[in-house]
Amino acid sequence: MNKIQMTTPIVEMDGDEMTRIIWKAIKDELICPYVDLKTEYYDLGLENRNNTDDKVTFDSANATKKYGVAVKCATITPNAARVEEYKLKEMWKSPNGTIRAILDGTVFRAPILVKGIEPFVKNWKKPITIARHAYGDVYKNVEIKVPGAGKAELVFTGEDGKEIRETIHDFKGSGIIQGIHNTDKSITSFAKSCFNYALDTKQDLWFSTKDTISKKYDHNFKDIFADLYEKEYKARFEEAGIEYFYTLIDDAVARVIRSEGGYIWACKNYDGDVMSDMVATAFGDLAMMTSVLVSPDGNYEYEAAHGTVQRHYYKHLNGEETSTNSIATIYAWTGALRKRGELDGNAELMTFADKLDKACINTIEDGEMTGSLAKLTTIPNPKVLNTFDFIKAIRNHLDELL
Ligand code: NAP
Ligand code: MG
């Protein structure tokens, strides 16, 4: 059989623990037998990040800016225990944080729907994609525990020395205060990523904040989205037959639950953090969630939404059988291959990605799945497969489709 040829490489970011094991199995079983895979390989495994003083992470992000498409394996974000475990020179920063800061993007997360893994919300028929702003607000806050009576003020000093001053509260006793910020630049790139992704995937875009209460802060988000929509996107949305609509976050929550899905829900940083876990769980399983970072200038980095599945890795190292679900990692690969195919005008590569997705779905719908899905499924007597047999079962379904 002739392998599918590629013209431009994909940036490949390898990772850690159990996901590193399935990464190799996916390439060996599901991609390389069919595609003459071209990648520029970066080893983001913690050992190599440590050996390169984390330079490899920066290099991989810059390569993504060069080529436009990357696929990333889950990686360890070191904490004190990991510094000890891997004898690290430093507690290296989160690779996702580093990559996000360089690409300046928005993270889009969408569930993979299969028959037999039914959403807990019974009217949800199509995926709901959460677009989470990945900069600022409470994630870059400054906090003070107020010890006792006194006055708290919000002060901005311009470069020209002029002050803007507001009283936050006249404390009669102890309490707490918090300072948060965002920038028009970051909010604008968040908005652009959302509008572009809606056009790309031909889905409506919803955006929600609490602008009735936060009349300047949240209102600024609403205004930036509205201005950009009017100036740059309205005509293209109308042409694509899709809609942009703004509503209050509490109204959005009520509408989301009553909806049948099939749209993008853009959320501020904290709202997106909370709502994406709610939506992922309500659709079934975190291991059935895709994730893509889209930068405002059109670079794409695909990954799984879950972590490195550490517990399974230690079982694997002990020679014990594991049942790790590889679907989200396979979808990261197919997302990258499809986007590469689209950018290069390589229809064969795009069709291959579609068929590999379909093979994953057919496998589960035929009742062959890993342990965590078997616990959720409505399919009677599912066949529980181990990590590697599940990938082999997907290969059998793929061969049927090719
Ligand atoms: P995790 O890797 O997401 O796993 C948590 C638990 O969820 C697992 O123990 C497993 O449950 C279940 N699970 C997650 N993915 C699964 C899959 N594909 N198949 C089957 N079960 C799955 O989170 P963690 O254990 O808290 O974190 C491990 C490491 O991942 C940490 O070092 C963290 O820094 C890193 N992390 C990386 C990313 C990323 O790179 N994007 C994201 C999050 C976390 P059972 O054990 O009950 O089977
Ligand atoms: Mg979270």
Side-chain angles (χ1 to χ4, degrees):
M1 192 183 116
N2 284 336
K3 289 189 187 182
I4 298 163
Q5 295 298 309
M6 292 176 62
T7 44
T8 318
I10 288 171
V11 177
E12 175 183 355
M13 304 169 174
D14 207 345
D16 288 300
E17 299 193 314
M18 200 61 201
T19 41
R20 189 181 178 97
I21 306 286
I22 60 178
W23 191 260
K24 184 172 183 305
I26 290 167
K27 282 171 68 183
D28 289 350
E29 289 282 339
L30 300 177
I31 300 173
C32 292
Y34 310 97
V35 179
D36 196 7
L37 184 66
K38 272 202 175 76
T39 71
E40 192 163 294
Y41 179 85
Y42 293 87
D43 182 0
L44 266 55
L46 187 49
E47 217 180 312
N48 193 47
R49 274 183 275 151
N50 192 50
N51 289 339
T52 61
D53 294 338
D54 207 22
K55 186 173 172 295
V56 66
T57 307
F58 290 81
D59 290 348
S60 71
N62 287 320
T64 306
K65 282 184 134 175
K66 178 175 166 196
Y67 292 110
V69 182
V71 57
K72 181 180 170 292
C73 180
T75 47
I76 293 169
T77 298
N79 54 16
R82 299 298 201 161
V83 171
E84 178 61 28
E85 181 184 356
Y86 284 81
K87 305 275 172 271
L88 300 180
K89 297 184 223 171
E90 260 183 54
M91 198 186 289
W92 305 110
K93 290 206 172 120
S94 151
N96 288 337
T98 302
I99 294 165
R100 229 173 265 163
I102 294 172
L103 296 180
D104 179 24
T106 302
V107 177
F108 295 87
R109 294 202 158 166
I112 301 158
L113 302 194
V114 293
K115 287 197 205 82
I117 311 291
E118 304 302 331
F120 289 93
V121 181
K122 64 179 187 304
N123 44 289
W124 285 1
K125 304 273 185 287
K126 298 178 208 159
I128 296 167
T129 302
I130 300 264
R132 174 183 170 190
H133 186 208
Y135 177 81
D137 303 349
V138 72
Y139 302 85
K140 285 256 181 230
N141 68 357
V142 181
E143 302 180 314
I144 297 174
K145 232 168 130 40
V146 173
K151 184 177 184 179
E153 289 181 292
L154 195 58
V155 184
F156 170 79
T157 313
E159 274 183 343
D160 59 2
K162 277 202 189 117
E163 267 185 12
I164 307 173
R165 188 177 287 263
E166 293 279 348
T167 300
I168 298 170
H169 191 64
D170 278 310
F171 283 90
K172 305 281 179 280
S174 59
I176 38 176
I177 48 179
Q178 177 183 59
I180 60 170
H181 80 278
N182 224 299
T183 67
D184 287 354
K185 180 168 180 274
S186 177
I187 300 166
T188 304
S189 65
F190 169 45
K192 277 191 181 166
S193 300
C194 292
F195 288 128
N196 288 337
Y197 197 74
L199 285 168
D200 247 23
T201 59
K202 297 238 182 324
Q203 297 184 88
D204 290 346
L205 176 66
W206 298 14
F207 180 46
S208 58
T209 71
K210 193 69 183 175
D211 67 291
T212 47
I213 297 298
S214 173
K215 291 191 192 321
K216 291 196 176 125
Y217 199 103
D218 278 19
H219 214 287
N220 190 50
F221 278 80
K222 178 183 174 180
D223 289 344
I224 287 177
F225 268 73
D227 283 354
L228 201 62
Y229 179 68
E230 284 300 323
K231 285 192 190 116
E232 291 185 30
Y233 290 96
K234 195 170 181 206
R236 285 151 73 191
F237 267 56
E238 282 168 1
E239 199 185 322
I242 57 173
E243 189 177 290
Y244 167 64
F245 125 91
Y246 174 86
T247 188
L248 275 177
I249 181 123
D250 25 5
D251 179 53
V253 168
R255 284 171 188 262
V256 162
I257 296 298
R258 286 196 307 260
S259 77
E260 55 167 55
Y263 49 85
I264 299 160
W265 181 14
C267 292
K268 286 174 62 201
N269 209 346
Y270 173 81
D271 300 340
D273 186 353
V274 177
M275 293 305 165
S276 66
D277 276 21
M278 192 269 287
V279 168
T281 309
F283 268 110
D285 193 357
L286 196 61
M288 296 293 284
M289 193 81 171
T290 64
S291 183
V292 57
L293 174 70
V294 182
S295 80
D297 44 356
N299 300 308
Y300 293 77
E301 183 241 325
Y302 294 84
E303 60 173 353
H306 59 77
T308 60
V309 211
Q310 181 184 18
R311 209 179 64 82
H312 295 207
Y313 181 58
Y314 283 101
K315 280 176 79 178
H316 174 78
L317 288 183
N318 265 332
E320 289 173 54
E321 195 168 78
T322 55
S323 188
T324 313
N325 183 352
S326 47
I327 296 281
T329 306
I330 296 170
Y331 267 67
W333 272 101
T334 56
L337 291 169
R338 189 181 298 106
K339 180 53 77 178
R340 190 68 271 165
E342 187 190 315
L343 296 176
D344 292 350
N346 187 341
E348 238 191 326
L349 195 59
M350 294 172 75
T351 306
F352 173 76
D354 290 345
K355 287 191 173 162
L356 181 46
D357 282 358
K358 187 85 179 81
C360 291
I361 290 177
N362 289 353
T363 306
I364 297 171
E365 291 184 350
D366 270 5
E368 298 175 294
M369 59 194 80
T370 48
S372 55
L373 290 183
K375 281 188 204 136
L376 292 172
T377 191
T378 53
I379 295 171
N381 310 314
K383 190 170 166 194
V384 179
L385 298 178
N386 70 35
T387 305
F388 302 102
D389 287 345
F390 182 58
I391 291 174
K392 289 206 175 79
I394 295 170
R395 182 168 181 177
N396 290 337
H397 281 88
L398 179 61
D399 284 333
E400 277 170 24
L401 291 172
L402 288 173

